[in-house]
Amino acid sequence: MILKNNYSLLNYNSFKIDVKAKEFVEVNSTDELKEICKINNRKEILFLGGGSNILFTKDFQGLIIHLNLKGKTIEKIDSNHSIISAYAGENWNKFVNYCLEKNLGGIENLSLIPGNVGSAPVQNIGAYGTELKDVFVSCEVFNQKDCTVKEYNLDDCCFDYRNSIFKTKKHLIIISVKLKLTNKDHYINSSYGGVNDELERLGIKNPTIRDVSEAVINIRNRKLPDPKNIGNAGSFFKNPIVDLKKIEAIKKNFIDIPNFKVEENKFKIPAAWLIEKAGFKGKNFGKFGVHKSQSLVLVNYGNASGKDIYKLSLSIKEVVNKIFKINLETEVNII
């Protein structure tokens, strides 16, 4: 391990915000992680993986530990299921492709989600009708407070919509993840978010898990900017969940409001629709703005500051709240 001072984080966050960390170190094993935490007496520590779900609004005046733990293993447990384990530093989309190459199904709908494996449980990542918790078995967790490692099962993680125990207990650091995937009789989940329409466009009538992945990738590429080309962190806001009374109140002025029942008297409203109706879709402020194809995505067109994007997010929240009386919650971590 090499401790670096005043280290640029430009290549460690998908928003491409040019800030510095007072101290920075990359760890490549659990032993290195334990070592740096035992010798460190600093008050401010931030663990950083792929940097795909974070917005830096200023330089970080502490130690950033970049988790670069790598490795994958597969264990067949019955005729149709395997347990695959992957360390936190593995790139998520490459991991999905690896599973597809091994004919392991269950996460193909999560193709092209940015970030690393270690951040997947934190957000309980989800897309196109699938959430990580649907295939989750357990994860190894490093406790920063006492430098111990413990296994957390599905119930321990308290998964919810884009949420988990790791969102609030930030001293718990995921170092590896175990998933239970199918290896023969795959469930094809193609009914959500236009996946069936894309498969039809491709001329595919009996899709495989690889076909579903390709359809999802095509849809995402059309709707979302590539962070390699335009700085962004994907969906900046969560889709709000409201009761029927709120839906009926909004319908008085917006009869076409889209909504999806998630449980008894609970309905999800697409935040993108709210933001578009608030007039922000495609709004350009020079160095930054709201993406023209997906209003959930705030973008850095070049040399914007984190404060610029953060202030834009506050303006969006304010206008949406004024029109709809709904308080949008951010998915992205603000530092």
Side-chain angles (χ1 to χ4, degrees), residues 260-300:
F260 310 92
K261 189 174 182 178
V262 292
E263 57 182 85
E264 191 64 32
N265 198 34
K266 295 293 182 182
F267 299 83
K268 184 186 296 182
I269 301 174
W273 183 87
L274 297 171
I275 295 167
E276 183 175 350
K277 292 298 180 182
F280 283 95
K281 185 176 182 179
K283 208 160 187 179
N284 190 315
F285 298 89
K287 293 180 180 180
F288 61 98
V290 180
H291 194 254
K292 62 182 180 180
S293 301
Q294 175 51 269
S295 52
L296 267 182
V297 180
L298 309 189
V299 292
N300 175 10

Side-chain angles (χ1 to χ4, degrees), residues 217-229:
I217 288 170
N218 289 349
I219 295 168
R220 291 184 71 93
N221 278 334
R222 285 198 297 269
K223 291 173 63 176
L224 301 170
D226 187 341
K228 293 178 183 176
N229 302 321

Side-chain angles (χ1 to χ4, degrees), residues 92 95-96 99 104-111 130 132 135 179 181:
W92 175 259
F95 173 64
V96 174
C99 291
L104 296 174
I107 56 174
E108 55 277 358
N109 293 55
L110 305 180
S111 295
T130 298
L132 184 77
V135 295
L179 307 179
L181 304 180

Side-chain angles (χ1 to χ4, degrees), residues 6 11 26 36 41-42 79-80 115 129 143 146 161 174 187 200 203 248 258 264 273 276 290 306:
N6 296 318
N11 296 320
E26 180 177 279
I36 190 66
N41 58 4
R42 303 164 183 84
S79 61
N80 194 44
N143 189 324
D146 58 12
Y161 172 63
I174 297 165
Y187 168 64
E200 186 176 335
E248 294 299 331
E264 191 64 32
W273 183 87
E276 183 175 350
V290 180

Side-chain angles (χ1 to χ4, degrees), residues 25-280:
V25 67
E26 180 177 279
V27 297
N28 299 287
S29 69
T30 305
D31 287 341
E32 287 186 353
L33 182 57
K34 289 179 179 179
E35 181 184 345
I36 190 66
C37 286
K38 282 179 178 178
I39 65 173
N40 174 65
N41 58 4
R42 303 164 183 84
K43 291 183 179 179
E44 196 171 15
I45 297 178
L46 177 65
F47 290 85
L48 190 63
S52 62
N53 196 48
I54 195 166
L55 174 65
F56 286 102
T57 61
K58 57 186 176 181
D59 290 340
F60 188 75
Q61 300 300 323
L63 171 68
I64 283 188
I65 299 176
H66 179 233
L67 296 172
N68 196 41
L69 290 73
K70 299 288 182 70
K72 301 179 289 288
T73 59
I74 299 173
E75 176 191 359
K76 189 172 181 178
I77 56 173
D78 61 41
S79 61
N80 194 44
H81 296 93
S82 292
I83 299 291
I84 182 162
S85 301
Y87 277 102
E90 293 283 346
N91 174 271
W92 175 259
N93 192 54
K94 289 181 179 178
F95 173 64
V96 174
N97 286 332
Y98 176 83
C99 291
L100 290 171
E101 288 168 4
K102 300 295 183 182
N103 194 35
L104 296 174
I107 56 174
E108 55 277 358
N109 293 55
L110 305 180
S111 295
L112 214 62
I113 291 180
N116 288 353
V117 166
S119 61
V122 178
Q123 290 289 110
N124 181 28
I125 58 171
Y128 301 98
T130 298
E131 288 184 309
L132 184 77
K133 68 178 179 64
D134 299 335
V135 295
F136 183 88
V137 176
S138 64
C139 58
E140 274 190 306
V141 176
F142 176 79
N143 189 324
Q144 182 190 337
K145 291 183 177 180
D146 58 12
C147 296
T148 59
V149 175
K150 179 183 174 182
E151 189 165 18
Y152 277 57
N153 63 27
L154 181 64
D155 291 337
D156 295 330
C157 295
C158 303
F159 288 128
D160 200 353
Y161 172 63
R162 301 298 179 271
N163 204 3
S164 72
I165 191 173
F166 309 108
K167 272 288 192 73
T168 53
K169 297 189 176 182
K170 297 185 182 296
H171 62 284
L172 300 177
I173 311 302
I174 297 165
I175 56 178
S176 71
V177 175
K178 284 184 181 179
L179 307 179
K180 183 180 180 180
L181 304 180
T182 54
N183 52 39
K184 185 174 60 175
D185 299 323
H186 305 301
Y187 168 64
I188 302 299
N189 184 358
S190 61
S191 61
Y192 191 92
V195 176
N196 271 332
D197 292 340
E198 180 62 20
L199 290 168
E200 186 176 335
R201 191 186 73 81
L202 294 170
I204 298 169
K205 295 183 178 179
N206 298 300
T208 64
I209 54 175
R210 174 68 76 176
D211 294 329
V212 171
S213 173
E214 182 181 348
V216 167
I217 288 170
N218 289 349
I219 295 168
R220 291 184 71 93
N221 278 334
R222 285 198 297 269
K223 291 173 63 176
L224 301 170
D226 187 341
K228 293 178 183 176
N229 302 321
I230 301 175
N232 75 92
S235 298
F236 199 92
F237 300 100
K238 297 179 182 179
N239 293 319
I241 296 175
V242 301
D243 59 21
L244 182 59
K245 186 178 179 181
K246 172 61 72 175
I247 294 290
E248 294 299 331
I250 296 174
K251 276 186 176 181
K252 291 178 181 179
N253 295 310
F254 299 91
I255 191 67
D256 61 337
I257 178 175
N259 60 93
F260 310 92
K261 189 174 182 178
V262 292
E263 57 182 85
E264 191 64 32
N265 198 34
K266 295 293 182 182
F267 299 83
K268 184 186 296 182
I269 301 174
W273 183 87
L274 297 171
I275 295 167
E276 183 175 350
K277 292 298 180 182
F280 283 95

